[in-house]
Amino acid sequence: MALPTWISAHRADASRATFWLVKLGITTPVYLTTCDQPIVYDGHTFVPDAMAVSGIQADASAGGSNGGRLVLGTGGDYWKDLVSDISSGNRSFEVTFWEAWLDPSTLPSPVPPANAVRLVAVTRVEAAEWVRGAISFTLSPAASPALSRMPFREY
């Protein structure tokens, strides 16, 4: 996968930081970031949240992934909507990951430079586990629309 131009030009900079941007695709989508400041990207404000991301790896095609894990700490403003969706049966929603590259000296500017964000993975929740103070999502690759139809043969 080719890197966006800003990332290619600045990946060797001594002063840079990377942050996750995460979209929970529940009924009312939730936008979160690992940055301690809000980040505005693609018309959405990604708010800081206590989270851990593991196992998410991009492959050669944009948005490809082999799955991973997302752990969210409890207490965010979005928890009511998240718990309501899960308890209503929406247990396999999409979770989208972007990687934002920023020069820390520009913070608290909430807007990354042009081409400083790349789509890393589109996943789907496979399982959720509640532990004290957090929820852990096991993620699998999201189904490809191209594979949503079973092949058939006409005789």
Side-chain angles (χ1 to χ4, degrees):
M1 171 178 1
L3 293 174
T5 54
W6 192 93
I7 294 174
S8 293
H10 294 277
R11 65 182 174 178
D13 289 359
S15 178
R16 70 165 171 79
T18 59
F19 303 101
W20 286 111
L21 304 180
V22 178
K23 174 188 174 189
L24 304 178
I26 59 176
T27 304
T28 302
V30 174
Y31 299 89
L32 306 170
T33 181
T34 55
C35 184
D36 64 352
Q37 318 247 343
I39 294 178
V40 176
Y41 173 69
D42 198 28
H44 303 286
T45 300
F46 291 78
V47 297
D49 196 66
M51 75 174 95
V53 177
S54 61
I56 299 298
Q57 298 176 6
D59 67 7
S61 63
S65 173
N66 58 0
R69 193 171 207 58
L70 174 65
V71 179
L72 301 173
T74 59
D77 293 341
Y78 61 90
W79 271 87
K80 181 180 176 186
D81 292 334
L82 178 62
V83 171
S84 175
D85 258 34
I86 290 172
S87 62
S88 297
N90 184 10
R91 295 188 179 119
S92 75
F93 52 89
E94 279 192 352
V95 180
T96 307
F97 293 87
W98 294 268
E99 182 182 40
W101 292 45
L102 299 170
D103 178 347
S105 66
T106 64
L107 293 174
S109 171
V111 182
N115 295 314
V117 176
R118 70 180 185 118
L119 176 66
V120 173
V122 178
T123 62
R124 184 163 297 283
V125 172
E126 186 175 290
E129 178 183 351
W130 297 90
V131 294
R132 185 177 183 148
I135 185 170
S136 176
F137 295 112
T138 301
L139 307 168
S140 62
S144 167
L147 301 175
S148 64
R149 186 171 151 253
M150 295 296 289
F152 69 95
R153 175 180 262 179
E154 291 184 32
Y155 294 96

